[in-house]
Amino acid sequence: EKGTYPNYMLKEIDEQPAVIRKIVMAYEDDKGQVSIDEDIRGAIAASDRLYIVAAGTSYHAGLVGKQLLENLSGVPTEVHIASEFSYNMPLLSKNPLFIFISQSGETADSRAVLVHVKKLGFRTLTITNVAGSTLSREADHTLLLHAGPEIAVASTKAYTAQVAVLSILAADIANGKGMELDFDLTKELGIVANAMAALVDQKEVLENIAREYLADTRNAFYIGRAVDYFVCLESALKLKEISYIQAEGFAGGELKHGTIALIEKGTPVFALATQAHVNGSIRSNVKEVVARGANACIISLEGLNEEGDSLVLPEVHDALTPLVSVVPMQLIAYYAALQRGCDVDKPRNLAKSVTVE
Ligand code: M6R
């Protein structure tokens, strides 16, 4: 099934441009615009706050989703780690709508929250890759990811599919509220797919970055601001779970509050710079770590790039940059794991879906 690929993870990373195009087709209406079905639109319109609940990579997609939902459609949105929800239960609004994001649709921690909020009588929506999964069957509504089976334990194409579907949801809510978006999402997702295709073609560059920065390090840091910070969390998780290198994602501005103490000569620091409004500040954070000996690798968006950046991402709409910036991070983690002789598809101690609480 993996054809000529050495493993599933690489195949799934490569499939991402096609997945985005498939999502656009699946959600396209008769006017050629991406939209969601009326029931879900109605359920969201009737709610006053969205509560996203998820685990791992799906939680990271939820963080990006919150930004999309709040920025594009003005709906207050919170994101919660499923396994913490019952202990740190937020105060709920009057008419909450719960959104469960889960590739497998089988994550026990998320299901426990679903069962609980259903008992309380709240509306629920599951965003999943698996039609007929437990979370899909038990929720009031489902949005499918259309990513095709994801076999590798490290989630790649499901993450980008989740962010893409959340962008469609956000744009649809905005439309429903009569808010004019200043861009055409259908067209912009097409541009994203092309950008992803250009990035998966740069494997040699990314393999070399992995070798240069991660060959014999014990740890690595990822820094970013605004939405880049959320992609840094996901990038660090990817590296940790398949290469066993200790990695952390940090908000650029937090470094000086403690983390910078960890920077030594040669510490790899990956910095994402895809957001114009924080470009200056993330670049000064890079200078701060470089001054303490870090080996910095800057990945920037075309138009914001500066001399010395290691990789320049093709330009896409600034609300959609996570869809492209995560791709080189996935490949860097992949090659680092391979170079260290790790089993990329089946990392130690992990299962594809976590069906125990
Ligand atoms: O199937 P789910 O999306 O609910 O799974 C959630 C996490 O277990 C999952 O994303 C996990 O973090 C991945 N192995 C990360 O690559």
Side-chain angles (χ1 to χ4, degrees):
E1 228 202 289
K2 55 186 184 223
T4 55
Y5 280 95
N7 47 54
Y8 283 104
M9 185 176 176
L10 193 62
K11 172 173 179 275
E12 290 162 6
I13 290 173
D14 269 6
E15 282 170 351
Q16 291 176 107
V19 169
I20 299 297
R21 293 188 187 110
K22 199 163 166 220
I23 289 172
V24 169
M25 271 163 43
Y27 283 93
E28 214 161 36
D29 60 21
D30 44 14
K31 291 187 224 100
Q33 293 302 315
V34 284
S35 64
I36 53 163
D37 80 50
E38 272 174 38
D39 285 1
I40 299 177
R41 191 179 305 144
I44 290 176
S47 69
D48 58 358
R49 186 175 280 263
L50 304 176
Y51 293 81
I52 294 178
V53 178
T57 288
S58 298
Y59 170 73
H60 295 153
L63 294 171
V64 176
K66 168 190 161 78
Q67 277 230 342
L68 289 163
L69 288 157
E70 293 195 335
N71 294 348
L72 302 184
S73 59
V75 187
T77 306
E78 294 179 18
V79 195
H80 293 273
I81 293 175
S83 60
E84 280 295 305
F85 191 88
S86 28
Y87 320 118
N88 288 325
M89 177 116 169
L91 280 179
L92 298 181
S93 63
K94 257 203 190 124
N95 295 306
L97 179 97
F98 284 85
I99 301 181
F100 296 88
I101 306 179
S102 175
Q103 187 285 131
S104 62
E106 301 298 341
T107 297
D109 289 327
S110 301
R111 180 168 184 252
V113 181
L114 174 70
V115 169
H116 179 66
V117 300
K118 267 180 61 165
K119 268 197 203 125
L120 298 173
F122 298 129
R123 310 284 299 170
T124 52
L125 159 68
T126 290
I127 300 181
T128 182
N129 203 22
V130 184
S133 58
T134 308
L135 285 168
S136 171
R137 278 185 280 111
E138 295 183 352
D140 299 309
H141 307 280
T142 296
L143 286 173
L144 288 176
L145 296 175
H146 301 286
E150 191 182 66
I151 310 289
V153 164
S155 183
T156 54
K157 62 178 179 171
Y159 172 84
T160 42
Q162 286 161 347
V163 171
V165 169
L166 286 160
S167 75
I168 294 172
L169 183 64
D172 189 277
I173 301 169
N175 279 336
K177 290 167 87 177
M179 293 165 70
E180 280 276 324
L181 290 189
D182 63 352
F183 65 98
D184 176 347
L185 182 60
T186 313
K187 191 178 128 219
E188 294 298 335
L189 286 172
I191 296 173
V192 161
N194 294 343
M196 285 173 153
L199 287 166
V200 297
D201 276 350
Q202 299 214 42
K203 293 199 175 65
E204 237 183 86
V205 175
L206 295 161
E207 190 175 356
N208 289 334
I209 290 180
R211 193 167 294 113
E212 184 183 338
Y213 290 87
L214 299 169
D216 41 38
T217 191
R218 284 179 44 232
N219 57 2
F221 299 107
Y222 292 80
I223 60 170
R225 284 176 179 251
V227 79
D228 288 340
Y229 166 47
F230 303 142
V231 179
C232 285
L233 295 178
E234 171 57 12
S235 306
L237 175 59
K238 235 39 351 147
L239 188 69
K240 283 184 261 205
E241 71 176 328
I242 59 170
S243 76
Y244 317 138
I245 297 171
Q246 193 198 348
E248 300 301 334
F250 291 108
E254 273 293 288
L255 285 173
K256 59 181 174 299
H257 298 288
T259 314
I260 202 157
L262 292 167
I263 305 292
E264 301 174 339
K265 192 169 179 316
T267 305
V269 176
F270 293 89
L272 271 181
T274 76
Q275 299 292 307
H277 63 298
V278 294
N279 200 31
S281 31
I282 191 65
R283 287 186 185 274
S284 33
N285 295 142
V286 172
K287 289 200 186 97
E288 288 156 15
V289 294
V290 168
R292 285 154 181 91
N295 197 10
C297 173
I298 305 179
I299 298 182
S300 58
L301 192 72
E302 198 181 319
L304 301 177
N305 55 305
E306 291 181 11
E307 215 187 301
D309 291 358
S310 298
L311 184 76
V312 180
L313 307 166
E315 202 178 344
V316 296
H317 191 281
D318 69 353
L320 302 177
T321 58
L323 292 168
V324 300
S325 58
V326 77
V327 174
M329 295 306 200
Q330 296 166 343
L331 282 164
I332 290 168
Y334 170 81
Y335 284 115
L338 220 59
Q339 288 158 10
R340 287 174 175 241
C342 303
D343 181 345
V344 286
D345 278 350
K346 287 201 176 64
R348 67 187 181 207
N349 307 341
L350 288 169
K352 180 62 183 161
S353 50
V354 184
T355 50
V356 289
E357 273 179 59

